[in-house]
Every structure is written in C-alpha cells, then in structure tokens.
Amino acid sequence: MSAHIIADDAEALAVAAALADDFRAGASGRDAERRLPREELDRLSASGLLAVTVSAEHGGADVTASTLAEIFRLLATADASLAQIPQSHFVYVNVIRRQGSEEQRKFFFAELLAGRRLGNAQSEAGTRHVQDIRTRLEPRPDGSYVLSGVKHYSTGALFADWIPVLARAEDDKLHVAYVPADAPGLEVIDDWDGLGQRTTASGTVRLAGVPVPSDRVLPHHLTFEGPQLHGAVAQLLHAAIDTGIAAGALAEAVAFVRTKSRPWFESGAGTAAEDPLLIQRIGELALQTKASEALLREAARAVDTAGADLTDERAAEASIAVAAAKVHAAQAAVDVASGLFEVSGTRSALDSLNLHRHWRDARTHTLHDPPRWKLQHIGRYVLNGTRPPRHGLL
C-alpha cells in the first residue's frame, strides 16, 4: 500500500473538503443498503489524511487539533458513519506519540504514512462499567504476551490493518496491544446492527490466545499519570462528528424546503422558502448549528494552546472547553436532524428519501458517552475550580 504524504494543515483541509464532496453523493445509498465503505476508506487512506498527526520529525504534517477537528466535521457533513470509522485511529496514533518508544514510533509512523489503518477493540459488554476491562495480556517466558478477551462496538476493526486492543496486564494496569488484522486467534465479526451509523461495522472482536510481541505493547496507563490531552482530543473528534451531522442535516433541510416543500396555505406565501414561520425555524436550527461550530473551534484552540505548554491547569481548561463543545453539539445534532422533518413536511418522512439517516446517526452517535456527566464536570470547574478527572473520556 502507498499513500500521498500531506504537507501541511492547508493541504489537509483541502483534501478533506474534496473527499467530503465526493463521499456525500453515495452516503444515503450506503446507509440504506448497509453497504460498507471499503472503497471510500481506501481513498481516505490513499489521500494521506490518516497520517496527518504523524510528527514532523517522522515525516508527517503534524497538523493542529483545530485542523483535525475540521477534517472530521467536514467528513461528517457528508457521511457520519464514514467519519466515525477513523476516530479511534487517531486516538491510538496519539497513544503511540505519547507512550511509544522511538523504535515503536518509527515503525508505526512508517505504517501510517504508507496508508495503513488502525482500528479499535476497547469496549466490552456485560461488565460493571465502561472502564471494567477484562481482556488480559498474559506474559510468556520469552517476554512476549498472549491476548484473550471479547470486545464490542469495535468501530473500524473490520477495515483495519492494525487493531489496537485495550487490555490489562498482570499488574492490572491498562496497556494497548497493537495486533495485525491477520494475527492467529483474532476474529472480527461484522454483527453491528445499530439503527444509525449503519456502515461503521462496529461489531465484535474475539481474541483467543493471540500472540503479541513485547514491542507491540504500549503502557497506556502512563498516559493518565500527568497532564494529558488524550481524552480531550478523543472527545473533540466526537464533538466534530456531531457538529458535522447537524450541518449536514441543516443543508438537507434547506435544499428540501427550497425545492420540494409547499408553504402552509395560511401563510399567504408563494413558496415554502417565503413562509415566515418556516424562515423562523430554519433560523433557529441554523443558530444551533453555528453555535456548535463556534464551540468546536474554541475547544480545538484550547487543545492546541494546552499542547504547546502542557500543565494541569491548561489540560483542565482544554477538557472543559471540549466538554462544552460536545454537550452542545450532541443536542444540536439531534435537534437539527429532527427539525429537518418539521420544516420539510410529510413528504420528507418517506423511507425512500432516507432523510431520517441524519437523525438515526445523531441519535446513535450521541449515546457514545453521557453529556450529563460532562455538565457535572463543567459545573464543578466553573463553580469550585475542580479540575476534571484524568480518565480519558473528557
């Protein structure tokens, strides 16, 4: 596999905008038919976008968090499923950047620059809570490991060259094992049947005695022992996806009202686009979308500022800014995707038009982690100066 090497932030944004325009055309059909976006992901890999956070000393563009968030927002305006797939890819690139040895960084960054994709095998079902990880890395006499467990919601694993697996070692501390997709004992099952984000293939990964060399294991627990932006970057990308869903839904609503909707007879308007009550509602939906975009930009700038001189306080400020963006974007995505039907009328509910994919994607993606807890941390920080916890989900 080979891939283009993106030079800088400006090129990254231009490539993302062009790909989003191309991906938008087939998004509804892929969703309706549950047709997995393998060709689109290959184009994403070949474009070089998946390597834009590789550090400059290793040949990457090392783009800012602001640029990365905008890349995800652009892709999500076109196809929220496609935008979701590489979210974990970038999260686990960050783990390599922060916790990888020089040899590990050299190896994996070369893989990324060649267009290789990272997946995700972190969440587990049936445990006490999301951080109750039961997958185990058992040491062998030669220093290598054996990996065993079952993972769910493994977005991107089906399309990945490498699958980062979150597991606990004998010391019960969290590690990430980077496992090649063809490793013996590894099975990726395409059993995701969510009502939204239908083509993310967020299914099951089974690990039955998978051999893992020691140089493919990173000490993820160290990420949380000092000031860190791991959770802030991960959540920033989720906020960007929600913001993109809202923008995509708004664009569909505007196009539908302009070309297909009828005005309500009492309005006296000649077209739906002249109906004053429809104009009012579109204005309200546009305001929600614009506010989400502004909060996303502010959060991304906070992450970039903190990353330039990382301290506990700057990390806290960034996490709170991202939490605010995520809370607002989650509500906006659901509200605007629902409002699409309100302004478009009965015809918009036809299943054949598949306009409901925006709401289904919003409703599914915003379940990822609860905004109510983000509001708790925002309130504690504003009221009492309590810094948010370092658990990687904020």
Side-chain angles (χ1 to χ4, degrees), residues 153-174:
Y153 314 118
S154 301
T155 302
L158 192 69
F159 314 111
D161 299 289
W162 291 90
I163 302 176
V165 181
L166 197 61
R168 295 194 184 277
E170 58 182 340
D171 56 8
D172 210 40
K173 292 180 178 179
L174 280 177

Side-chain angles (χ1 to χ4, degrees), residues 66 126 162 313:
S66 297
W162 291 90
E313 187 56 34

Side-chain angles (χ1 to χ4, degrees), residues 129-303:
H129 50 71
V130 71
Q131 291 197 323
D132 182 15
I133 303 297
R134 298 178 182 175
T135 299
R136 308 299 298 189
L137 268 171
E138 300 291 344
R140 303 167 90 180
D142 64 358
S144 65
Y145 296 89
V146 173
L147 186 60
S148 299
V150 180
K151 298 290 188 176
H152 299 269
Y153 314 118
S154 301
T155 302
L158 192 69
F159 314 111
D161 299 289
W162 291 90
I163 302 176
V165 181
L166 197 61
R168 295 194 184 277
E170 58 182 340
D171 56 8
D172 210 40
K173 292 180 178 179
L174 280 177
H175 292 70
V176 178
Y178 289 74
V179 180
D182 59 356
L186 171 67
E187 181 184 14
V188 181
I189 305 167
D190 181 19
D191 57 357
W192 169 244
D193 65 348
L195 68 89
Q197 294 198 301
R198 289 177 168 178
T199 61
T200 58
S202 301
T204 302
V205 171
R206 296 187 181 276
L207 306 135
V210 177
V212 184
S214 60
D215 61 357
R216 297 294 179 260
V217 177
L218 278 69
H220 191 30
H221 59 95
L222 297 180
T223 300
F224 310 105
E225 292 188 1
Q228 52 84 33
L229 297 171
H230 177 83
V233 171
Q235 292 295 309
L236 181 70
L237 302 186
H238 284 307
I241 292 168
D242 288 339
T243 303
I245 291 173
L250 179 63
E252 290 259 35
V254 168
F256 200 95
V257 169
R258 284 175 176 170
T259 61
K260 296 183 175 66
S261 294
R262 298 181 295 180
W264 185 242
F265 70 95
E266 292 178 282
S267 71
T271 67
E274 298 170 305
D275 185 325
L277 297 185
L278 279 180
I279 290 172
Q280 165 105 7
R281 188 64 180 128
I282 288 288
E284 292 169 347
L285 299 177
L287 184 60
Q288 278 191 283
T289 304
K290 291 295 185 184
S292 288
E293 291 170 351
L295 284 168
L296 181 69
R297 289 192 295 270
E298 180 181 326
R301 284 195 296 268
V303 171

